[in-house]
Amino acid sequence: MIALSGLSAFPITPADRHGTVDEAALRRLVARLAAARVDSIGLLGSTGTYAYLTREQRRRALEIALDEAAGAVPIVVGIGALRTDDALRLAEDAKAAGAAAGLLAPVSYTPLLDEEVFVHFETVATESGLPLCIYDNPGTTHFTFSPALIGRLSRVDGILGVKTGAKPKNEVAAQFRALGEAVQPGFSVGCSIDIAAPDALLAGAKAWYSVVGGTLPKATLAITRAAQAGDTAETARLHAGLEPLWECFRRHTSLRVVYALADLLGLCRAEPPRPILPLTGSARDDVAAALKALPADLAQ
């Protein structure tokens, strides 16, 4: 069973405006991550725009990624859906294809209660047999996991870890300490906010679920390894080197920035699914300038 630790790099899912996956482009992105030897690939996360793709499109993207990774890197795939039975079918697809784990968010239209979320996760984990990582992303799901609920879910067989955001810098250490105390031994607590992830790793988080890691795997892997080694100074130095990109994230959002970044790096020409529009004009120029400003060893 997969150990959710280290750097999990999340690529975009290059596709046309109808959601048809650009197979050659996705292969290039996955091959780049596998060559960098990231610890896992986070396919069809929010950066992979899973919510905009059909079951068939998601299944095809997973097949392509698994074929390109060829077992060298485990793949954690998004299986979030509004209905429990739909999430279960996606989990079954992922298990049958050979994914290492599923990333499950409590996607909702009607706000969910804690017990509803617990039963949702318990059902998918138990009935599918696919190992799961909890995706705590209240900005999109409008549901916030409490440490107590994460602790309760950590006791469900097959739920291996959580991908969660981070509080302000001066609260990160206490946040991840509290989560670590709430969960079962061996349960992985990981951070999903790129700007805060190095501090979270130094504070005891086991994994960094990285947006920018999907396009700059070597840079983010170097930061991860420095933090895992407890090298605070080197972690801070490398993280500061990516500040031009972090500023773009703040100004233009991470999703839009990484689409522009993939194009500027020559990895693929893709646009986010409508109604999301690609960055143009001065916003795209900001990303180009940020890329140019990165130290040479981090621009890869």
PDB file of all heavy atoms in Angstrom, residues 2-3 9 11 26 35 38 77 104 113 119 125 157 181 186 208 210 219 263 267 272 281:
ATOM      1  N   ILE A   2       0.461   2.275  -0.719  1.00  0.00           N
ATOM      2  CA  ILE A   2       1.248   3.490  -0.868  1.00  0.00           C
ATOM      3  C   ILE A   2       1.442   4.199   0.476  1.00  0.00           C
ATOM      4  O   ILE A   2       0.544   4.231   1.325  1.00  0.00           O
ATOM      5  CB  ILE A   2       0.561   4.447  -1.876  1.00  0.00           C
ATOM      6  CG1 ILE A   2       1.440   5.688  -2.116  1.00  0.00           C
ATOM      7  CG2 ILE A   2      -0.820   4.841  -1.395  1.00  0.00           C
ATOM      8  CD1 ILE A   2       0.899   6.619  -3.189  1.00  0.00           C
ATOM      9  N   ALA A   3       2.643   4.742   0.665  1.00  0.00           N
ATOM     10  CA  ALA A   3       2.908   5.630   1.796  1.00  0.00           C
ATOM     11  C   ALA A   3       2.785   7.061   1.275  1.00  0.00           C
ATOM     12  O   ALA A   3       3.510   7.466   0.375  1.00  0.00           O
ATOM     13  CB  ALA A   3       4.314   5.389   2.339  1.00  0.00           C
ATOM     14  N   ALA A   9       3.230  15.573  -6.930  1.00  0.00           N
ATOM     15  CA  ALA A   9       3.186  16.647  -7.931  1.00  0.00           C
ATOM     16  C   ALA A   9       1.897  16.567  -8.732  1.00  0.00           C
ATOM     17  O   ALA A   9       1.551  15.504  -9.259  1.00  0.00           O
ATOM     18  CB  ALA A   9       4.394  16.536  -8.856  1.00  0.00           C
ATOM     19  N   PRO A  11      -0.093  17.734 -11.941  1.00  0.00           N
ATOM     20  CA  PRO A  11      -0.093  18.388 -13.249  1.00  0.00           C
ATOM     21  C   PRO A  11      -1.492  18.843 -13.656  1.00  0.00           C
ATOM     22  O   PRO A  11      -2.503  18.368 -13.131  1.00  0.00           O
ATOM     23  CB  PRO A  11       0.390  17.269 -14.183  1.00  0.00           C
ATOM     24  CG  PRO A  11      -0.168  16.027 -13.549  1.00  0.00           C
ATOM     25  CD  PRO A  11      -0.084  16.265 -12.051  1.00  0.00           C
ATOM     26  N   LEU A  26      -0.351  15.164 -22.144  1.00  0.00           N
ATOM     27  CA  LEU A  26      -0.398  14.564 -20.812  1.00  0.00           C
ATOM     28  C   LEU A  26       0.776  13.603 -20.618  1.00  0.00           C
ATOM     29  O   LEU A  26       1.377  13.552 -19.536  1.00  0.00           O
ATOM     30  CB  LEU A  26      -1.724  13.848 -20.588  1.00  0.00           C
ATOM     31  CG  LEU A  26      -1.919  13.216 -19.205  1.00  0.00           C
ATOM     32  CD1 LEU A  26      -1.758  14.246 -18.096  1.00  0.00           C
ATOM     33  CD2 LEU A  26      -3.285  12.533 -19.116  1.00  0.00           C
ATOM     34  N   ALA A  35      10.571  11.353 -14.557  1.00  0.00           N
ATOM     35  CA  ALA A  35      12.016  11.520 -14.709  1.00  0.00           C
ATOM     36  C   ALA A  35      12.627  12.257 -13.527  1.00  0.00           C
ATOM     37  O   ALA A  35      13.774  12.001 -13.143  1.00  0.00           O
ATOM     38  CB  ALA A  35      12.312  12.275 -16.006  1.00  0.00           C
ATOM     39  N   VAL A  38       9.618  12.258  -8.591  1.00  0.00           N
ATOM     40  CA  VAL A  38       8.733  12.718  -7.521  1.00  0.00           C
ATOM     41  C   VAL A  38       8.210  11.492  -6.775  1.00  0.00           C
ATOM     42  O   VAL A  38       8.252  10.362  -7.272  1.00  0.00           O
ATOM     43  CB  VAL A  38       7.571  13.559  -8.086  1.00  0.00           C
ATOM     44  CG1 VAL A  38       8.102  14.791  -8.809  1.00  0.00           C
ATOM     45  CG2 VAL A  38       6.680  12.737  -9.019  1.00  0.00           C
ATOM     46  N   VAL A  77      -5.211   9.561  -7.681  1.00  0.00           N
ATOM     47  CA  VAL A  77      -6.134  10.163  -8.644  1.00  0.00           C
ATOM     48  C   VAL A  77      -7.383  10.699  -7.964  1.00  0.00           C
ATOM     49  O   VAL A  77      -7.943  10.077  -7.058  1.00  0.00           O
ATOM     50  CB  VAL A  77      -6.506   9.143  -9.745  1.00  0.00           C
ATOM     51  CG1 VAL A  77      -7.235   7.940  -9.164  1.00  0.00           C
ATOM     52  CG2 VAL A  77      -7.332   9.794 -10.845  1.00  0.00           C
ATOM     53  N   LEU A 104     -10.169  11.977  -2.419  1.00  0.00           N
ATOM     54  CA  LEU A 104     -11.612  12.186  -2.332  1.00  0.00           C
ATOM     55  C   LEU A 104     -11.946  13.472  -1.587  1.00  0.00           C
ATOM     56  O   LEU A 104     -11.587  13.641  -0.425  1.00  0.00           O
ATOM     57  CB  LEU A 104     -12.266  10.990  -1.620  1.00  0.00           C
ATOM     58  CG  LEU A 104     -13.789  11.034  -1.471  1.00  0.00           C
ATOM     59  CD1 LEU A 104     -14.488  11.155  -2.814  1.00  0.00           C
ATOM     60  CD2 LEU A 104     -14.276   9.799  -0.713  1.00  0.00           C
ATOM     61  N   LEU A 113     -23.070  17.872   6.412  1.00  0.00           N
ATOM     62  CA  LEU A 113     -22.834  17.747   7.847  1.00  0.00           C
ATOM     63  C   LEU A 113     -21.691  16.768   8.085  1.00  0.00           C
ATOM     64  O   LEU A 113     -21.386  15.918   7.236  1.00  0.00           O
ATOM     65  CB  LEU A 113     -24.099  17.254   8.551  1.00  0.00           C
ATOM     66  CG  LEU A 113     -25.375  18.065   8.305  1.00  0.00           C
ATOM     67  CD1 LEU A 113     -26.559  17.395   8.978  1.00  0.00           C
ATOM     68  CD2 LEU A 113     -25.198  19.497   8.793  1.00  0.00           C
ATOM     69  N   VAL A 119     -19.862   9.233   6.518  1.00  0.00           N
ATOM     70  CA  VAL A 119     -20.476   8.079   5.855  1.00  0.00           C
ATOM     71  C   VAL A 119     -20.063   8.033   4.381  1.00  0.00           C
ATOM     72  O   VAL A 119     -19.827   6.952   3.822  1.00  0.00           O
ATOM     73  CB  VAL A 119     -22.005   8.119   6.014  1.00  0.00           C
ATOM     74  CG1 VAL A 119     -22.667   7.027   5.174  1.00  0.00           C
ATOM     75  CG2 VAL A 119     -22.392   7.952   7.479  1.00  0.00           C
ATOM     76  N   ALA A 125     -14.467   4.101   0.788  1.00  0.00           N
ATOM     77  CA  ALA A 125     -13.295   3.324   1.201  1.00  0.00           C
ATOM     78  C   ALA A 125     -13.631   1.848   1.353  1.00  0.00           C
ATOM     79  O   ALA A 125     -12.904   0.972   0.871  1.00  0.00           O
ATOM     80  CB  ALA A 125     -12.735   3.876   2.511  1.00  0.00           C
ATOM     81  N   ASP A 157     -10.528   1.727   7.945  1.00  0.00           N
ATOM     82  CA  ASP A 157      -9.603   0.951   7.124  1.00  0.00           C
ATOM     83  C   ASP A 157      -9.565   1.496   5.700  1.00  0.00           C
ATOM     84  O   ASP A 157     -10.620   1.703   5.080  1.00  0.00           O
ATOM     85  CB  ASP A 157     -10.023  -0.520   7.086  1.00  0.00           C
ATOM     86  CG  ASP A 157      -9.746  -1.249   8.390  1.00  0.00           C
ATOM     87  OD1 ASP A 157      -8.986  -0.718   9.219  1.00  0.00           O
ATOM     88  OD2 ASP A 157     -10.305  -2.348   8.570  1.00  0.00           O
ATOM     89  N   GLU A 181      -1.689  14.788  16.401  1.00  0.00           N
ATOM     90  CA  GLU A 181      -2.149  14.207  17.664  1.00  0.00           C
ATOM     91  C   GLU A 181      -3.553  13.613  17.545  1.00  0.00           C
ATOM     92  O   GLU A 181      -3.926  12.725  18.323  1.00  0.00           O
ATOM     93  CB  GLU A 181      -2.127  15.282  18.759  1.00  0.00           C
ATOM     94  CG  GLU A 181      -0.716  15.724  19.139  1.00  0.00           C
ATOM     95  CD  GLU A 181      -0.709  16.972  20.013  1.00  0.00           C
ATOM     96  OE1 GLU A 181      -1.817  17.515  20.265  1.00  0.00           O
ATOM     97  OE2 GLU A 181       0.381  17.405  20.421  1.00  0.00           O
ATOM     98  N   GLY A 186       0.724   6.391  11.958  1.00  0.00           N
ATOM     99  CA  GLY A 186       0.918   5.969  10.576  1.00  0.00           C
ATOM    100  C   GLY A 186       0.059   6.704   9.574  1.00  0.00           C
ATOM    101  O   GLY A 186       0.292   6.598   8.363  1.00  0.00           O
ATOM    102  N   TRP A 208       3.820  16.970   0.739  1.00  0.00           N
ATOM    103  CA  TRP A 208       3.497  18.235   0.082  1.00  0.00           C
ATOM    104  C   TRP A 208       2.775  17.895  -1.211  1.00  0.00           C
ATOM    105  O   TRP A 208       3.340  17.284  -2.112  1.00  0.00           O
ATOM    106  CB  TRP A 208       4.775  19.019  -0.201  1.00  0.00           C
ATOM    107  CG  TRP A 208       4.582  20.314  -0.953  1.00  0.00           C
ATOM    108  CD1 TRP A 208       3.406  20.925  -1.289  1.00  0.00           C
ATOM    109  CD2 TRP A 208       5.617  21.166  -1.466  1.00  0.00           C
ATOM    110  NE1 TRP A 208       3.634  22.101  -1.963  1.00  0.00           N
ATOM    111  CE2 TRP A 208       4.984  22.265  -2.089  1.00  0.00           C
ATOM    112  CE3 TRP A 208       7.011  21.085  -1.445  1.00  0.00           C
ATOM    113  CZ2 TRP A 208       5.715  23.286  -2.708  1.00  0.00           C
ATOM    114  CZ3 TRP A 208       7.737  22.107  -2.062  1.00  0.00           C
ATOM    115  CH2 TRP A 208       7.100  23.198  -2.679  1.00  0.00           C
ATOM    116  N   SER A 210       1.613  19.364  -4.292  1.00  0.00           N
ATOM    117  CA  SER A 210       2.058  20.618  -4.884  1.00  0.00           C
ATOM    118  C   SER A 210       1.459  20.919  -6.250  1.00  0.00           C
ATOM    119  O   SER A 210       1.538  20.101  -7.174  1.00  0.00           O
ATOM    120  CB  SER A 210       3.588  20.607  -5.010  1.00  0.00           C
ATOM    121  OG  SER A 210       4.042  21.786  -5.645  1.00  0.00           O
ATOM    122  N   ALA A 219      12.532  21.641  -8.755  1.00  0.00           N
ATOM    123  CA  ALA A 219      12.606  22.711  -7.749  1.00  0.00           C
ATOM    124  C   ALA A 219      11.845  22.328  -6.489  1.00  0.00           C
ATOM    125  O   ALA A 219      12.352  22.464  -5.367  1.00  0.00           O
ATOM    126  CB  ALA A 219      12.054  24.006  -8.331  1.00  0.00           C
ATOM    127  N   ASP A 263       2.709  26.416 -20.753  1.00  0.00           N
ATOM    128  CA  ASP A 263       2.883  26.936 -22.116  1.00  0.00           C
ATOM    129  C   ASP A 263       4.247  27.601 -22.264  1.00  0.00           C
ATOM    130  O   ASP A 263       5.005  27.325 -23.206  1.00  0.00           O
ATOM    131  CB  ASP A 263       1.761  27.934 -22.410  1.00  0.00           C
ATOM    132  CG  ASP A 263       1.772  28.438 -23.846  1.00  0.00           C
ATOM    133  OD1 ASP A 263       2.591  27.957 -24.657  1.00  0.00           O
ATOM    134  OD2 ASP A 263       0.956  29.317 -24.169  1.00  0.00           O
ATOM    135  N   LEU A 267       5.867  22.938 -22.484  1.00  0.00           N
ATOM    136  CA  LEU A 267       5.392  21.593 -22.152  1.00  0.00           C
ATOM    137  C   LEU A 267       4.120  21.248 -22.906  1.00  0.00           C
ATOM    138  O   LEU A 267       3.925  20.110 -23.325  1.00  0.00           O
ATOM    139  CB  LEU A 267       5.150  21.481 -20.649  1.00  0.00           C
ATOM    140  CG  LEU A 267       6.370  21.734 -19.760  1.00  0.00           C
ATOM    141  CD1 LEU A 267       5.971  21.708 -18.290  1.00  0.00           C
ATOM    142  CD2 LEU A 267       7.454  20.706 -20.043  1.00  0.00           C
ATOM    143  N   PRO A 272      -7.452  26.245 -19.779  1.00  0.00           N
ATOM    144  CA  PRO A 272      -8.318  25.646 -18.752  1.00  0.00           C
ATOM    145  C   PRO A 272      -9.730  25.473 -19.290  1.00  0.00           C
ATOM    146  O   PRO A 272     -10.121  26.136 -20.263  1.00  0.00           O
ATOM    147  CB  PRO A 272      -8.264  26.662 -17.610  1.00  0.00           C
ATOM    148  CG  PRO A 272      -7.876  27.948 -18.258  1.00  0.00           C
ATOM    149  CD  PRO A 272      -7.008  27.601 -19.409  1.00  0.00           C
ATOM    150  N   GLY A 281      -2.383  39.068 -21.878  1.00  0.00           N
ATOM    151  CA  GLY A 281      -1.918  40.428 -21.655  1.00  0.00           C
ATOM    152  C   GLY A 281      -0.939  40.546 -20.510  1.00  0.00           C
ATOM    153  O   GLY A 281      -0.008  39.747 -20.373  1.00  0.00           O
TER     154      GLY A 281
END
